[in-house]
Amino acid sequence: MLLSLLSTNPLAFVIIALALALSLTVHEFAHAYTADRLGDPTPRRFGRVTLNPGKHLDPFGTLLLLIAGFGFARPVPINPNNLGRWGTMWVSAAGPLSNILIALLCAGLLVLLKPAAVLGSILLTVLSVNIVLAVFNLIPIPLLDGSRIIGALIPSLGRSLAQFEAQPFSFVIVMLFILLAQGPIGNIIRTVQGWVLGAVGA
């Protein structure tokens, strides 16, 4: 999907690719930093408490993102036993919350500065990318942050989700589900995007 921009609009491709790399990195760093602060040394042991994109971006997940329009970064390893129920919830929520904060920052700059040309386009792209990441990750689908937040709020459901995620083919099943449900998922994301972009006058 994004790869088609490489020949038609190289500048837009570079802006989107950099916005994705930045936003995914901050998302995963937020998970790692929160877990570290709440007493779980696992992310630090794996070198994940860093803003170095190389530690967070997954080559296959990034390629999938460029080709299919959805992908993934490297999940941050945590030990729920070190975090407890509520700690695990906050670690799960930290990723989407970081994207919401970036989106709010970009929206504020767009409203206050009303930048033109390239800067306005960059801010709008970073805003849109972070809306997508926040909304997508909050959808309560297994392996996504939304399901882990709900799992922490409803322990019995959380145990069932954890059992499913431990299965060898859970990743493939979830990817197939996202692929088949990309229409409704896309509609949800576009609706939220429309609200936010309308609010900033974009």
Side-chain angles (χ1 to χ4, degrees):
M1 275 180 94
L2 292 180
L3 282 178
S4 61
L5 284 174
L6 203 51
S7 57
T8 59
N9 194 338
L11 179 60
F13 173 84
V14 170
I15 292 173
I16 293 171
L18 289 176
L20 281 167
L22 164 72
S23 304
L24 286 168
T25 296
V26 171
H27 180 104
E28 297 303 329
F29 167 76
H31 286 310
Y33 178 79
T34 304
D36 186 65
R37 294 293 293 175
L38 291 177
D40 181 12
T42 311
R44 185 171 294 278
R45 203 160 54 236
F46 282 86
R48 301 298 298 275
V49 188
T50 175
L51 285 168
N52 176 4
K55 294 289 186 178
H56 299 294
L57 299 181
D58 181 272
F60 177 70
T62 304
L63 182 63
L64 192 63
L65 191 62
L66 295 173
I67 295 173
F70 69 90
F72 53 91
R74 238 176 243 152
V76 172
I78 64 169
N79 185 346
N81 294 326
N82 293 330
L83 295 164
R85 174 184 169 190
W86 299 114
T88 301
M89 186 196 76
W90 282 114
V91 170
S92 300
L97 282 174
S98 72
N99 298 126
I100 291 170
L101 288 174
I102 293 173
L104 287 172
L105 175 62
C106 291
L109 291 173
L110 284 166
V111 171
L112 293 172
L113 302 180
K114 301 192 183 303
V118 176
L119 179 58
S121 176
I122 291 171
L123 288 173
L124 199 57
T125 300
V126 176
L127 170 61
S128 297
V129 164
N130 279 278
I131 293 170
V132 171
L133 289 176
V135 175
F136 177 73
N137 278 285
L138 286 172
I139 295 173
I141 298 172
L143 300 178
L144 297 184
D145 299 322
S147 72
R148 288 168 180 166
I149 294 169
I150 290 178
L153 294 171
I154 308 171
S156 59
L157 179 59
R159 286 190 289 272
S160 298
L161 288 168
Q163 288 173 356
F164 170 77
E165 291 182 6
Q167 300 303 311
F169 296 105
S170 61
F171 175 79
V172 175
I173 293 170
V174 171
M175 285 294 105
L176 286 173
F177 175 81
I178 292 172
L179 183 62
L180 293 172
Q182 62 181 320
I185 291 173
N187 288 337
I188 294 170
I189 292 172
R190 280 188 291 272
T191 298
V192 178
Q193 268 186 321
W195 292 339
V196 177
L197 296 180
V200 299

